[in-house]
Short mmCIF file of all heavy atoms in Angstrom, two decimals:
data_model
loop_
_atom_site.label_atom_id
_atom_site.label_comp_id
_atom_site.label_asym_id
_atom_site.label_seq_id
_atom_site.Cartn_x
_atom_site.Cartn_y
_atom_site.Cartn_z
N ASP A 12 14.31 28.34 11.24
CA ASP A 12 15.11 28.50 12.46
C ASP A 12 15.05 29.94 12.90
O ASP A 12 15.48 30.85 12.17
CB ASP A 12 16.55 28.08 12.16
CG ASP A 12 17.37 27.97 13.43
OD1 ASP A 12 16.91 28.49 14.45
OD2 ASP A 12 18.46 27.37 13.37
N LYS A 46 27.90 -2.10 10.60
CA LYS A 46 27.44 -2.56 11.90
C LYS A 46 25.93 -2.52 11.93
O LYS A 46 25.31 -1.49 11.68
CB LYS A 46 28.00 -1.66 13.01
CG LYS A 46 29.48 -1.87 13.23
CD LYS A 46 29.96 -0.95 14.34
CE LYS A 46 31.44 -1.10 14.56
NZ LYS A 46 31.98 -0.17 15.53
N LEU A 153 12.10 -38.18 -23.33
CA LEU A 153 11.08 -37.96 -22.29
C LEU A 153 11.71 -37.88 -20.90
O LEU A 153 11.43 -36.96 -20.12
CB LEU A 153 10.04 -39.08 -22.34
CG LEU A 153 9.16 -39.12 -23.60
CD1 LEU A 153 8.19 -40.28 -23.52
CD2 LEU A 153 8.41 -37.79 -23.77
N TYR A 256 47.48 -33.71 -15.95
CA TYR A 256 47.21 -32.44 -16.61
C TYR A 256 46.31 -31.55 -15.74
O TYR A 256 46.46 -30.32 -15.74
CB TYR A 256 46.56 -32.67 -17.97
CG TYR A 256 47.57 -32.97 -19.06
CD1 TYR A 256 47.84 -34.28 -19.46
CD2 TYR A 256 48.26 -31.94 -19.70
CE1 TYR A 256 48.75 -34.57 -20.45
CE2 TYR A 256 49.18 -32.22 -20.70
CZ TYR A 256 49.43 -33.52 -21.08
OH TYR A 256 50.35 -33.78 -22.06
N CYS A 260 47.14 -27.83 -14.57
CA CYS A 260 46.19 -26.76 -14.92
C CYS A 260 45.74 -26.01 -13.66
O CYS A 260 45.64 -24.78 -13.66
CB CYS A 260 44.99 -27.36 -15.64
SG CYS A 260 43.81 -26.15 -16.24
N ILE A 369 24.17 -38.02 -38.25
CA ILE A 369 23.23 -36.91 -38.07
C ILE A 369 22.27 -36.91 -39.25
O ILE A 369 22.51 -36.25 -40.28
CB ILE A 369 23.98 -35.57 -37.96
CG1 ILE A 369 24.98 -35.64 -36.80
CG2 ILE A 369 23.01 -34.42 -37.75
CD1 ILE A 369 25.80 -34.42 -36.60
N ILE A 428 24.56 -36.06 -12.39
CA ILE A 428 25.53 -35.52 -13.35
C ILE A 428 25.01 -34.26 -14.01
O ILE A 428 25.76 -33.31 -14.25
CB ILE A 428 25.87 -36.60 -14.42
CG1 ILE A 428 26.64 -37.75 -13.77
CG2 ILE A 428 26.66 -35.99 -15.58
CD1 ILE A 428 26.87 -38.94 -14.69
N GLY A 439 24.27 -13.39 -9.63
CA GLY A 439 23.75 -12.03 -9.54
C GLY A 439 23.78 -11.49 -8.13
O GLY A 439 24.21 -10.36 -7.88
N LYS A 451 16.02 -4.34 -7.50
CA LYS A 451 15.24 -4.50 -8.73
C LYS A 451 15.93 -5.48 -9.68
O LYS A 451 15.28 -6.32 -10.32
CB LYS A 451 15.10 -3.14 -9.41
CG LYS A 451 14.37 -3.20 -10.74
CD LYS A 451 14.35 -1.82 -11.40
CE LYS A 451 13.73 -1.89 -12.79
NZ LYS A 451 13.80 -0.60 -13.49
N PHE A 586 26.35 -30.27 -2.43
CA PHE A 586 26.62 -29.04 -1.68
C PHE A 586 25.76 -27.89 -2.18
O PHE A 586 25.27 -27.08 -1.39
CB PHE A 586 28.11 -28.71 -1.76
CG PHE A 586 28.98 -29.67 -1.00
CD1 PHE A 586 29.97 -30.39 -1.64
CD2 PHE A 586 28.79 -29.87 0.35
CE1 PHE A 586 30.77 -31.29 -0.94
CE2 PHE A 586 29.58 -30.76 1.07
CZ PHE A 586 30.57 -31.47 0.42
N CYS A 590 22.75 -25.85 -0.12
CA CYS A 590 22.67 -24.39 -0.06
C CYS A 590 21.29 -23.89 -0.51
O CYS A 590 20.66 -23.07 0.16
CB CYS A 590 23.77 -23.79 -0.92
SG CYS A 590 23.76 -22.00 -0.95
N LEU A 603 6.45 -17.27 7.22
CA LEU A 603 5.49 -17.82 8.18
C LEU A 603 5.54 -17.09 9.51
O LEU A 603 4.52 -16.94 10.19
CB LEU A 603 5.75 -19.31 8.39
CG LEU A 603 5.36 -20.23 7.22
CD1 LEU A 603 5.82 -21.64 7.48
CD2 LEU A 603 3.86 -20.19 6.99
N GLY A 666 15.93 -15.60 11.38
CA GLY A 666 14.60 -16.22 11.45
C GLY A 666 14.53 -17.37 12.42
O GLY A 666 13.47 -17.62 13.00
N GLU A 683 1.12 -23.83 30.69
CA GLU A 683 0.32 -23.13 31.70
C GLU A 683 -1.07 -23.71 31.83
O GLU A 683 -1.79 -23.40 32.77
CB GLU A 683 0.26 -21.64 31.36
CG GLU A 683 0.02 -20.77 32.57
CD GLU A 683 0.18 -19.30 32.24
OE1 GLU A 683 0.09 -18.94 31.05
OE2 GLU A 683 0.38 -18.52 33.16
N ASP A 774 12.77 -7.24 50.20
CA ASP A 774 11.79 -7.10 49.13
C ASP A 774 12.30 -7.68 47.82
O ASP A 774 11.54 -8.26 47.03
CB ASP A 774 11.43 -5.62 48.93
CG ASP A 774 10.61 -5.07 50.08
OD1 ASP A 774 10.09 -5.88 50.86
OD2 ASP A 774 10.52 -3.84 50.20
N GLY A 784 10.77 -16.32 36.25
CA GLY A 784 10.17 -17.28 35.33
C GLY A 784 9.05 -16.66 34.52
O GLY A 784 8.73 -15.47 34.67
N GLY A 799 26.28 -18.56 57.18
CA GLY A 799 27.20 -19.09 58.19
C GLY A 799 27.71 -18.06 59.18
O GLY A 799 28.08 -18.39 60.31
N ILE A 814 15.25 -15.96 57.22
CA ILE A 814 14.03 -16.56 57.75
C ILE A 814 12.81 -16.11 56.96
O ILE A 814 11.91 -16.90 56.66
CB ILE A 814 13.87 -16.20 59.25
CG1 ILE A 814 15.03 -16.81 60.05
CG2 ILE A 814 12.54 -16.71 59.79
CD1 ILE A 814 15.05 -16.42 61.51
N GLY A 844 34.85 -40.70 45.77
CA GLY A 844 35.03 -42.15 45.77
C GLY A 844 33.91 -42.85 46.51
O GLY A 844 32.79 -42.35 46.63
N MET A 878 23.41 -44.70 48.58
CA MET A 878 22.36 -43.94 49.25
C MET A 878 21.92 -44.71 50.50
O MET A 878 21.66 -45.91 50.45
CB MET A 878 21.20 -43.76 48.27
CG MET A 878 20.01 -42.99 48.80
SD MET A 878 18.83 -42.79 47.43
CE MET A 878 17.37 -42.31 48.31
N ASP A 917 12.03 -41.34 74.75
CA ASP A 917 11.96 -40.08 75.50
C ASP A 917 12.97 -40.10 76.63
O ASP A 917 12.89 -40.91 77.56
CB ASP A 917 10.55 -39.89 76.08
CG ASP A 917 9.52 -39.74 74.97
OD1 ASP A 917 9.95 -39.31 73.87
OD2 ASP A 917 8.34 -40.05 75.19
N LEU A 986 9.17 -52.64 75.47
CA LEU A 986 8.29 -51.50 75.31
C LEU A 986 7.52 -51.22 76.60
O LEU A 986 7.47 -50.09 77.07
CB LEU A 986 7.32 -51.77 74.15
CG LEU A 986 6.28 -50.70 73.86
CD1 LEU A 986 6.96 -49.40 73.44
CD2 LEU A 986 5.32 -51.16 72.79
N LYS A 1009 19.05 -25.25 88.32
CA LYS A 1009 19.65 -24.03 88.85
C LYS A 1009 18.57 -22.97 88.93
O LYS A 1009 17.59 -23.03 88.18
CB LYS A 1009 20.78 -23.57 87.94
CG LYS A 1009 21.95 -24.55 87.91
CD LYS A 1009 23.05 -24.03 86.98
CE LYS A 1009 24.20 -25.03 86.93
NZ LYS A 1009 25.26 -24.58 86.00
N ARG A 1054 7.03 -14.14 65.10
CA ARG A 1054 8.30 -13.63 64.61
C ARG A 1054 9.26 -13.25 65.75
O ARG A 1054 10.44 -13.03 65.52
CB ARG A 1054 8.08 -12.41 63.71
CG ARG A 1054 7.63 -12.81 62.31
CD ARG A 1054 7.37 -11.60 61.44
NE ARG A 1054 7.28 -11.96 60.03
CZ ARG A 1054 6.25 -12.53 59.46
NH1 ARG A 1054 5.18 -12.82 60.20
NH2 ARG A 1054 6.25 -12.82 58.17
N TYR A 1088 3.89 -45.24 40.79
CA TYR A 1088 3.16 -45.69 39.61
C TYR A 1088 3.94 -45.36 38.34
O TYR A 1088 4.72 -44.42 38.29
CB TYR A 1088 1.78 -45.06 39.57
CG TYR A 1088 0.94 -45.43 40.77
CD1 TYR A 1088 0.72 -44.51 41.78
CD2 TYR A 1088 0.42 -46.71 40.90
CE1 TYR A 1088 -0.03 -44.85 42.90
CE2 TYR A 1088 -0.34 -47.06 42.01
CZ TYR A 1088 -0.55 -46.13 43.01
OH TYR A 1088 -1.28 -46.47 44.11
#
Side-chain angles (χ1 to χ4, degrees):
D12 190 345
K46 288 180 181 175
L153 293 179
Y256 277 98
C260 185
I369 303 179
I428 292 173
K451 177 184 175 185
F586 291 121
C590 179
L603 288 173
E683 205 171 20
D774 289 345
I814 296 174
M878 180 175 164
D917 296 335
L986 178 63
K1009 294 180 181 178
R1054 281 178 166 77
Y1088 299 105

